[in-house]
Every structure is written in structure tokens, then in C-alpha cells.
Amino acid sequence: MNHTRRNYLRGSYITVLLVWVCGVAQAQFGQRTQWSADGQAIIKAVQGEIIQEKVTDPEQHTVLVAKADLTPVAGAEPLAIRRFSLSEDGNKVLINTNTKRVWRYDTRGDYWVYDRQGKTLKQLGADLPESSLMYAKLSPDGHRAAYVSGHNLYVEDIGTGKITPLTDDGTDRIIHGTFDWAYEEEFGCRDGFRWSPDGKKIAFWIIDARTIRHFLMINNTDSAYSYTIPVEYPKVGEAPSGASITVVEVATGDTVQMDIPGDPVQHYLPRMEWAANSDELIIQQLNRKQQESNIYIASVADGQCTRIYRETDDAWIDIKARWNHDDPSGWEWINKGKEFIWVSEKDGWRHLYRVDRRGKEKLITAGDYDVIDITLIDESGGYVYFSASPENATQQYLYRVRLTGGRAERITPEGLAGTHQYTISPNGKIALHQFSNQAALHRGHVVSLPNHKTLVEGQRHEVPAGTPKAEFFKVTTADGVDMDGWMVKPANFDPTKKYPVVFYVYGEPAGQTVMDTYGAGSNRLYQGDMAADGYIYMSVENRGTPAPKGRTWRKAIYKNIGILNIRDQAMAAKEILQWPFVDSSRVAVWGWSGGGSSTLNLLFQYPEIYKTGIAVAAVGNQLMYDNIYQERYMGIPQEDREPFIQGSPVTHARHLQGNLLYIHGTADDNVHYQNAELLINELIKHNRQFSLMSYPNRSHGISEGEGTGEHLSTLYTHFLKQHCPPGGR
């Protein structure tokens, strides 16, 4: 479910690389944009070299690190750059290479340091296992590096190569400096340690997962005898891992644990940073229900914590990862560390506040609109730049507001309807600009701010001529709910004929499907051209999705997953089926992960509407999913089990009347194949006939293995054509 949120539905062109797989975008943990000190150039890897390129004239570039510099020994191949970062003085370059996948992203690998002044290349952790280092970071002075290997935290002197373990009791259950499966998947927490500004200390998380049971996946194909693959996975209703934060003095190894109030097992610690100095930390704590957020200032000398801010919500409280490209790191300090920017939905909209170190707050953005994300805090200019779309929840534009508060000013020019993304230079003067809508993709643009004058034109990629484009519409249900939608009509559309309709659905709090972006209305699981074949392809956005429509819209789904979102979808479909060109006898629906769950529920709960369904990697029983996601949106089952039951497809499987194709990978570590077998048993019990495709040893994305993508799309297309034939009648 949540994997779909980040791998298939969301992404930033700044921090996430998008690869189109099976009709949806699969995210990879990529390279962050790095600006030069003057904000006039970006530093990037190009063809195995690291260059500094002037953003207003890409032809003007300087090679900072050449391929020859990255060749460990004569005659060897140069290092393949996966990611890199520079020391504060720009002299040392940290190279990440030879990476391996951990859960979803390739965050484990080898690290090398190239000294531009000394012309030396050294490998970090050379005596540790190959591809075992995670999240290596240079100290502020560039003389040392810290990293995680084997669940322990190390520091290494770059000059001498001396490696000092800062922890020595790390295991797959006692995790130092990084996180367990649930924290990574549901909070976006991966890098779990922070250098102090003075470089003398490191603050790091310790995750105690000893009480978390292993879920065992089985591999039946890679050897004569099967074997199990254990994944520490806290199911909903199970107590979370305990979390604590410790500060270690790098020179001595002395440690101080932060004395954070409350039971560490019944609370989460999703954010921690140095509090704009080297003497204090700032920590966010959520209770297990994620309805209470506390912010503490912690003294690293004795671990004493002082609460400075508290917030509650009857549903749940989102953390920074929800508006920061799935990355919760960083803290938005202003006024020389005396205040910070905070995001809250407390007044019914996602707004920006400035909060001082005593917890006194001031609203910055005021009005009936949502801040989608923070793009830049330009303190010297006195503004904060952010994305919003007050008039159209399917789009996104750049705004700015004074740090003192006031009326927001739109920066994106009028007449450019669609979705805009910006990477702004630290000085707020220049931005890399990407713009797309259902008709075209514009990228590589460079604009000046705040006047939005074009400095570099970039490229424009249009939907091929003759290709039917998505049409956006609104539909009002019998419940009075206004829903956005898009629709791609058949080629050579004849309004006097009736056509089959295929709904694409997600429907949960993890992502939107109705956005005015390039590719809206495309279906890469379908082999061929849906419009040419004579299908109406559409999607509608129900309540509970993260559209910028205010808190009430988003949090209506609390304790209602599989209930309210399903009714919204069905009621919208009822209205759409009254359109004269829609054939109500040929109605299909499909989705992946949370969308697979919605597909099942729609097919089971509303068989009079949906005749055919294709569900991929669905949660069949909500009691089988992880605790952080499911308890955030549905509560704790020991307190109220009924919503979990009523929202689960297995509860309604007996009502299947139409045609179902169910697809799941047996090595899915996110939505376990267990869900498929529980659903299969229920369908068998009630003699409901259906089609099943299990993909051996494929994960949640069903992308591994030769021929998998083609097989999946062939399967999808043939089933759809067989049971929901295309063409006007």
C-alpha cells in the first residue's frame, strides 16, 4: 500500500528518479541537486565525471573530478558514480558506488573520498565487507567521515585511514544510525545519524526491534530446497520498535542518551536534528496513534528534554516527509536559530507557521488553501517560497509569502495551467523549472526569480499528434461530494455510440491519481493503444487522498479506508454511467497496491456497477498490513476492530459476481503474499471463480526477472479485452 505511494504515485524531479514501469512511476533514491556557493551553477555527475555547470549557460562548465581521478589503480575501470557530495570547502568529494538494494532503494554500497587538492582517492571502510556502508557523511571540517555498516556506526579519519567503531552491539534487531523496515517505509526515515555543527559529536537513532516478529517469505525457485527470507515486520496491532536517540563524543566515545518522556515503544521519533547549535537537539515525537505531536529541545550534555510545542488531531498528524519528497530530514531554522518554520493543519488547511524556541507561534500563510510543499526559505530576501494550487486541486504552482506573514503572491505566470516544480538556488535568484500538463512536458528551463523571466528555454515534449488527450472534469455524487476526474475518450469518438469504461483507482491517503501532468490518462500496462481500440479510460479522486483540498477532505477517510473511499468511487461511477456514451454493461476497474485493495472492494461491494477487475498486490485483509500505516489511518484494532473488518476485501469477497484477475508477487515484503492466499481461501469458500497470477520471487513492484514486464502487460491486456471488450456499439 505505502510502497505504491512512493514508488508508483509520487516523486520529485529533484530528489527522485522516475522510471516508468507497468504504467506507473517507480521511484529510485537518487542524487540531490547540489548548487555552487554563489547559486549560479549546479554540480552534477555527467558521463562518469563531476562537473560544475553554469545554469544559464550549460556550455560553461568546469570538470571538478575527472574519470582519471576516479580510477583506483592503473588499468582499472573508473568508479561508477551513483551519488556524490562535497565537503563544505568543496575540496573533498564523497563518492557512493557499487550499491545494493536495501528494501526498496540501493542505499548500501562502497564509498570513496577524492581529495581535489591532494589528488588522492581513498576508499572508506576498506576492511569492512564489500557494499556494506550506508549514508556516509563528511564531517563539517572534511577531515573525517561517519557511516553505518552492519548496523553499527563508525567514524574514519580520512588522512590516516583509522576506523573507530562508535557502537559495537549492532545486530539486525539493535539498529544504530539507520532504521527498521517500518520506519523506512512509512516515515521515510533512512539516514539515522547527524554530525554536530562543530564536528565533535554525532547524534543517532537506536532502534530496538527485538520484539518485532519476523515475517517469513519463501523462495522456491533458486535452489533444490526452498528457504525462507525473514523480514522484521510489525503487523497492525503489534507494538512498534522502541526508538531512542543518543549523542556520542567522537574523540572519546562517551555517550549520552536523550531522556525523552514517555514509553519508547508506544511513541515514534520520526525527526531529529541539531537545534542550530552543537549543544542541543530538536526532536519530534508522535504517540503510537500519531494523533499527538510533541517537539522537544534536548540538552546533549545531560539528555534533559524540554517540551516546547504540542499539537493534537482527532485523525492523524502528518510529518515532514509528506511535503518534502518523502524525506523527513532537516529543520527549517530562521532568525539565527531563534525560530523555525512549522507546517500544521490545525486550522483546517496545511499552513506555515513560525515557532520560537519557547513554542510561541505565528501564522505565515493565511487563507483557504493548502501549502503543498516548501520550496525555499529565502531569509535574506524575507520570503518563503512554496507550492500551492488554491483554485484547482489537480495542479501546482509556485507562490511566495513574506516570513512575517501576509497574502501569498503567485510567482508562476498565468496562462501556464498544469503542474510546476522548481529547484531554487540557495540565494533565491534562479530556479530550475519543470512544467507539465496533459498535453506537454517542459523541462530543462531556467528562470530568474521572482520575475520568472526565462533564462534558458529548455525542451518541450508534446503528446504525439493525433493522440487523444486527457480531459479533466468534475462529478458530483448523490452524497454531494465534488470529485475531480480525467478521461481519455476513444479515438474517432462517436457520441452516438456506447463505449466500455476502464477506471484506474488508488483511493488511499498515500497518493493522488488525478493530476494535470504529462502522461495523465496513460496506461503502460496496456499493450497497444486503449483509445484506438475503443476504450474510455478514466480516474476519479475520492475523499481521503492527499489532494490540496483541506484537512476535512483528506481526513474524512480516518477509520474509513475501504468504506468511504469505496463509496465515493462507486457513487461517482453511478453518475458517469448515466452519460449517454458510456456502456454500463462494460465497466472495468484496476489498481495496484492500495489501488488493488480498492479494486477488490469495488468489485465485491458494488457488483452491479463493476463487471471486471484487475487487482495487483492488494491488501486483502487490513489486519495483515504494517502498524505505522494502518494505525495512522484506521486506529488501533484492539480499541476498535470493526473498521478494519468492514474495510477489508476478504469480508466482502463472497459477493463477487464479475470477472476478477488477481496478481501478486510471492516475494512482496510490503504487502505480503499472505494477503493473496487469505483472499483465495475466501473466494474458494464461497465458490467464487476468478483468475490468479502469482509471480515467483517478485517484490511489490513485480519488476524482477527476465520477461516479467512484458508478461504482466500481456496478461493484463488479454484479460481486459476478453472480459471487457473494446469498441463502440
Side-chain angles (χ1 to χ4, degrees):
M1 278 164 67
N2 199 28
H3 191 87
T4 294
R5 172 184 67 211
R6 292 193 287 268
N7 278 33
Y8 300 118
L9 290 176
R10 301 185 62 199
S12 161
Y13 84 122
I14 302 168
T15 61
V16 180
L17 305 176
L18 294 182
V19 179
W20 282 101
V21 177
C22 302
V24 278
Q26 182 174 10
Q28 299 178 18
F29 193 60
Q31 174 69 46
R32 292 175 179 272
T33 300
Q34 299 197 38
W35 289 87
S36 61
D38 63 5
Q40 298 296 314
I42 56 173
I43 301 168
K44 61 183 183 179
V46 178
Q47 297 180 344
E49 298 184 323
I50 297 175
I51 67 170
Q52 180 169 300
E53 178 183 281
K54 188 174 182 180
V55 293
T56 56
D57 185 1
E59 296 301 318
Q60 292 188 34
H61 64 267
T62 303
V63 176
L64 302 182
V65 184
K67 283 186 179 181
D69 300 325
L70 298 179
T71 303
V73 294
E77 290 293 319
L79 300 177
I81 304 169
R82 179 65 177 94
R83 305 177 187 90
F84 71 91
S85 61
L86 275 67
S87 59
E88 291 184 6
D89 63 6
N91 182 50
K92 292 186 175 65
V93 184
L94 183 65
I95 309 291
N96 184 204
T97 187
N98 195 26
T99 59
K100 306 295 181 185
R101 183 172 167 179
V102 178
W103 309 130
R104 183 165 359 107
Y105 300 127
D106 61 333
T107 51
R108 183 167 54 84
D110 294 329
Y111 283 88
W112 296 70
V113 176
Y114 178 70
D115 188 319
R116 295 177 59 215
Q117 193 172 49
K119 305 294 183 183
T120 59
L121 180 67
K122 294 183 179 181
Q123 184 177 5
L124 297 177
D127 295 334
L128 295 169
E130 181 182 4
S131 295
S132 72
L133 273 60
M134 302 178 72
Y135 310 116
K137 291 193 287 290
L138 297 172
S139 60
D141 63 9
H143 294 159
R144 291 161 296 173
Y147 47 80
V148 172
S149 178
H151 302 104
N152 279 310
L153 184 62
Y154 295 84
V155 66
E156 180 171 341
D157 186 291
I158 294 173
T160 66
K162 180 183 178 182
I163 301 173
T164 303
L166 300 178
T167 66
D168 59 10
D169 61 338
T171 67
D172 61 347
R173 296 310 188 97
I174 301 293
I175 302 168
H176 301 285
T178 183
F179 297 90
D180 63 357
W181 185 93
Y183 258 83
E184 176 174 320
E185 177 67 20
E186 304 303 352
F187 289 136
C189 294
R190 298 176 182 89
D191 172 4
F193 68 92
R194 309 283 188 266
W195 279 102
S196 62
D198 64 9
K200 296 180 179 179
K201 296 176 281 290
I202 294 175
F204 63 97
W205 275 266
I206 301 175
I207 303 296
D208 185 348
R210 286 177 293 183
T211 61
I212 305 300
R213 296 182 62 183
H214 273 147
F215 186 87
L216 301 179
M217 298 185 298
I218 189 165
N219 185 318
N220 281 313
T221 64
D222 290 350
S223 64
Y225 287 87
S226 62
Y227 59 91
T228 57
I229 302 168
V231 179
E232 76 247 10
Y233 190 104
K235 297 278 188 179
V236 59
E238 298 291 328
S241 302
S244 60
I245 293 171
T246 291
V247 173
V248 58
E249 190 82 29
V250 173
T252 64
D254 293 339
T255 61
V256 177
Q257 181 174 318
M258 302 303 100
D259 187 15
I260 304 169
D263 183 349
V265 174
Q266 297 301 320
H267 291 84
Y268 298 109
L269 302 176
R271 289 184 69 186
M272 174 272 290
E273 302 291 339
W274 289 91
N277 59 51
S278 296
D279 301 315
E280 297 172 315
L281 300 176
I282 188 164
I283 300 166
Q284 182 183 19
Q285 178 197 59
L286 291 176
N287 68 335
R288 179 173 170 180
K289 291 183 179 181
Q290 301 171 64
Q291 294 178 321
E292 179 183 346
S293 170
N294 292 304
I295 300 177
Y296 294 97
I297 295 288
S299 167
V300 302
D302 57 11
Q304 182 177 347
C305 293
T306 302
R307 186 173 73 182
I308 65 166
Y309 193 79
R310 178 177 180 268
E311 182 179 351
T312 61
D313 194 294
D314 292 337
W316 71 85
I317 294 173
D318 284 324
I319 69 161
K320 184 181 178 181
R322 296 286 280 172
W323 58 84
N324 190 49
H325 316 301
D326 300 314
D327 180 4
S329 65
W331 210 279
E332 291 69 37
W333 293 102
I334 59 173
N335 193 15
K336 298 180 179 179
K338 297 176 182 177
E339 298 175 274
F340 56 88
I341 302 298
W342 192 247
V343 179
S344 172
E345 295 178 313
K346 65 175 63 180
D347 73 349
W349 299 90
R350 180 184 288 162
H351 279 316
L352 304 182
Y353 297 78
R354 56 191 299 164
V355 181
D356 69 19
R357 297 175 80 100
R358 295 171 296 176
K360 183 180 179 181
E361 68 181 19
K362 174 181 172 55
L363 176 65
I364 298 176
T365 54
D368 294 346
Y369 67 90
D370 284 311
V371 170
I372 297 174
D373 60 37
I374 299 173
T375 309
L376 177 76
I377 298 173
D378 176 19
E379 190 169 7
S380 63
Y383 286 93
V384 55
Y385 288 82
F386 62 92
S387 295
S389 187
E391 307 301 327
N392 188 328
T394 73
Q395 299 173 343
Q396 181 172 310
Y397 303 98
L398 183 66
Y399 286 77
R400 71 174 184 174
V401 67
R402 290 193 176 277
L403 283 166
T404 53
R407 186 173 180 272
E409 170 191 3
R410 176 165 159 163
I411 300 300
T412 304
E414 299 292 338
L416 298 177
T419 298
H420 296 256
Q421 295 174 312
Y422 296 81
T423 305
I424 304 178
S425 64
N427 61 18
K429 303 299 184 184
I430 298 177
L432 310 180
H433 175 218
Q434 177 171 294
F435 159 50
S436 77
N437 55 30
Q438 78 278 13
L441 168 66
H442 310 248
R443 60 185 177 186
H445 288 72
V446 180
V447 298
S448 59
L449 295 179
N451 60 8
H452 211 281
K453 179 182 177 181
T454 298
L455 304 176
V456 177
E457 280 291 343
Q459 303 87 38
R460 175 185 171 93
H461 304 274
E462 294 189 6
V463 172
T467 302
K469 297 181 178 65
E471 302 174 17
F472 286 81
F473 63 88
K474 290 184 181 291
V475 60
T476 301
T477 72
D479 299 327
V481 180
D482 294 323
M483 296 170 61
D484 291 307
W486 53 250
M487 167 176 55
V488 180
K489 290 178 180 175
N492 302 315
F493 174 71
D494 183 346
T496 66
K497 293 184 178 181
K498 290 185 177 292
Y499 295 89
V501 60
V502 179
F503 287 96
Y504 171 55
V505 63
Y506 182 68
E508 296 198 8
Q512 291 176 251
T513 61
V514 181
M515 294 175 286
D516 189 2
T517 58
Y518 188 72
S522 64
N523 182 356
R524 287 170 176 80
L525 266 190
Y526 188 86
Q527 285 187 336
D529 187 327
M530 291 187 74
D533 288 344
Y535 284 110
I536 299 172
Y537 190 43
M538 82 170 49
S539 188
V540 290
E541 199 85 83
N542 56 260
R543 287 175 292 172
T545 60
K549 288 185 169 185
R551 178 196 177 280
T552 299
W553 172 273
R554 288 187 290 275
K555 295 185 177 178
I557 204 169
Y558 184 64
K559 291 194 175 183
N560 268 312
I561 291 179
I563 305 169
L564 176 138
N565 56 327
I566 302 307
R567 178 171 174 81
D568 276 1
Q569 287 284 333
M571 293 302 99
K574 276 192 174 183
E575 298 297 324
I576 290 166
L577 295 189
Q578 297 180 37
W579 297 352
F581 52 83
V582 172
D583 187 344
S584 61
S585 69
R586 291 181 291 165
V587 180
V589 59
W590 86 276
W592 198 305
S593 192
S597 306
S598 293
T599 296
L600 293 173
N601 269 321
L602 290 168
L603 205 61
F604 299 161
Q605 294 185 40
Y606 295 92
E608 73 279 11
I609 298 176
Y610 303 94
K611 313 302 183 183
T612 298
I614 302 175
V616 188
V619 172
N621 185 337
Q622 292 186 26
L623 294 171
M624 297 300 111
Y625 199 57
D626 79 69
N627 56 2
I628 296 180
Y629 182 94
Q630 212 67 49
E631 291 178 5
R632 176 191 300 150
Y633 302 125
M634 296 294 284
I636 297 176
Q638 289 90 331
E639 297 179 359
D640 188 2
R641 193 179 182 88
E642 189 61 21
F644 292 88
I645 303 301
Q646 290 305 312
S648 292
V650 292
T651 302
H652 309 284
R654 65 186 183 276
H655 299 306
L656 173 65
Q657 296 178 23
N659 311 293
L660 169 62
L661 170 59
Y662 188 79
I663 301 168
H664 213 123
T666 68
D668 191 334
D669 64 8
N670 185 347
V671 179
H672 301 143
Y673 188 71
Q674 171 190 52
N675 284 272
E677 297 198 337
L678 289 169
L679 182 69
I680 291 166
N681 271 343
E682 194 65 20
L683 291 167
I684 291 170
K685 175 181 175 181
H686 296 285
N687 192 24
R688 300 304 178 198
Q689 301 299 309
F690 65 101
S691 298
L692 170 71
M693 175 55 69
S694 301
Y695 283 93
N697 292 331
R698 271 69 166 189
S699 64
H700 196 56
I702 312 184
S703 59
E704 303 85 356
E706 186 176 358
T708 299
E710 183 180 5
H711 186 278
L712 178 58
S713 62
T714 303
L715 173 72
Y716 175 100
T717 306
H718 285 181
F719 188 86
L720 185 62
K721 286 184 174 180
Q722 178 184 357
H723 295 288
C724 185
R729 294 177 181 173

